[in-house]
């Protein structure tokens, strides 16, 4: 138990520093677990659920941690990125050149924000609204998946009888 306000402050500072350390470990993990080669491999097989799941989990973990710690910029970038990745994982969207570019922008933004947190303990003053807007635009697109295409192609065709000839 905490005996005084001073003890509480020291305890809170220690817990916060532990969380920052955990976040920095995640930064290294994100760099190691989300190399650009993952996106290259995803371009080769945009329906690879294992790779999509791995990328999604990395972004999801960063989003959850930064939200808890109050890193609002990082949370905003990873939240919309997570939504886009979720739609890709569910095969509602397929990776294309525009989505690849958006995901690369997200990865770059996440790395810059985490580097700022590591250097100063705070998010950088940089404005990431353009990245968020682009990811939002990409996420608002209609389904482009194989599932949607297959549903359209395999829709039952109703046979229509030719009109009867008048006698």
């Amino acid at each position: 138990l905490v005996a005084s306000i001073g003890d509480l402050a020291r305890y809170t500072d220690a817990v916060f520093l532990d969380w920052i350390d955990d976040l920095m470990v995640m930064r290294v993990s994100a760099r190691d677990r989300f190399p650009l080669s993952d996106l290259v491999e995803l371009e080769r097989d945009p329906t690879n659920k294992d790779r999509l799941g791995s990328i999604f989990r990395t972004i999801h973990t960063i989003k959850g941690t930064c939200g808890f710690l109050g890193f609002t910029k990082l949370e905003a970038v990873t939240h919309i990125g997570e939504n886009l990745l979720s739609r890709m994982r569910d095969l509602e969207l397929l990776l294309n050149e525009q989505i690849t570019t958006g995901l690369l922008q997200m990865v770059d933004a996440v790395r810059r924000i985490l580097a700022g947190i590591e250097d100063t303990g705070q998010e950088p003053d940089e404005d990431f609204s353009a990245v968020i807007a682009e990811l939002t635009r990409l996420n608002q697109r209609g389904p482009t998946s194989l599932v949607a295409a297959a549903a359209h192609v395999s829709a039952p065709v109703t046979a229509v009888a030719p009109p009867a000839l008048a006698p």
Side-chain angles (χ1 to χ4, degrees), residues 98-141:
Q98 290 177 336
I99 292 174
T100 300
T101 299
L103 290 175
L104 287 171
Q105 291 170 346
M106 176 192 67
V107 170
D108 185 50
V110 167
R111 287 179 175 177
R112 289 195 320 263
I113 296 168
L114 288 173
I117 293 169
E118 183 177 27
D119 292 344
T120 67
Q122 298 178 18
E123 294 177 304
D125 290 333
E126 189 174 346
D127 180 11
F128 296 96
S129 61
V131 174
I132 294 167
E134 178 61 10
L135 293 171
T136 300
R137 183 188 72 76
L138 292 169
N139 198 38
Q140 290 174 341
R141 297 172 61 185

Side-chain angles (χ1 to χ4, degrees), residues 46-68:
T47 62
N48 184 323
K49 286 199 169 237
D50 290 336
R51 186 159 316 276
L52 279 165
S54 174
I55 296 168
F56 174 87
R57 283 188 303 278
T58 299
I59 295 302
H60 175 76
T61 301
I62 293 171
K63 183 199 81 167
T65 302
C66 68
F68 184 68

Side-chain angles (χ1 to χ4, degrees), residues 14-43:
V15 169
F16 182 73
L17 289 174
D18 284 345
W19 284 335
I20 293 293
D21 286 343
D22 290 346
L23 192 58
M24 292 310 102
V25 167
M26 243 190 311
R27 175 177 180 237
V28 171
S29 176
R31 185 179 59 232
D32 294 341
R33 289 181 52 202
F34 196 97
L36 298 180
S37 62
D38 276 355
L39 288 177
V40 171
E41 289 299 319
L42 198 57
E43 280 185 304

Side-chain angles (χ1 to χ4, degrees), residues 48-102:
N48 184 323
K49 286 199 169 237
D50 290 336
R51 186 159 316 276
L52 279 165
S54 174
I55 296 168
F56 174 87
R57 283 188 303 278
T58 299
I59 295 302
H60 175 76
T61 301
I62 293 171
K63 183 199 81 167
T65 302
C66 68
F68 184 68
L69 295 175
F71 295 126
T72 57
K73 290 179 183 182
L74 187 56
E75 183 178 22
V77 170
T78 54
H79 177 75
I80 191 63
E82 178 187 46
N83 289 345
L84 184 63
L85 287 163
S86 177
R87 289 190 68 202
M88 292 172 61
R89 188 183 58 180
D90 294 342
L91 299 178
E92 291 177 26
L93 293 174
L94 287 178
L95 188 69
N96 60 27
E97 187 176 327
Q98 290 177 336
I99 292 174
T100 300
T101 299

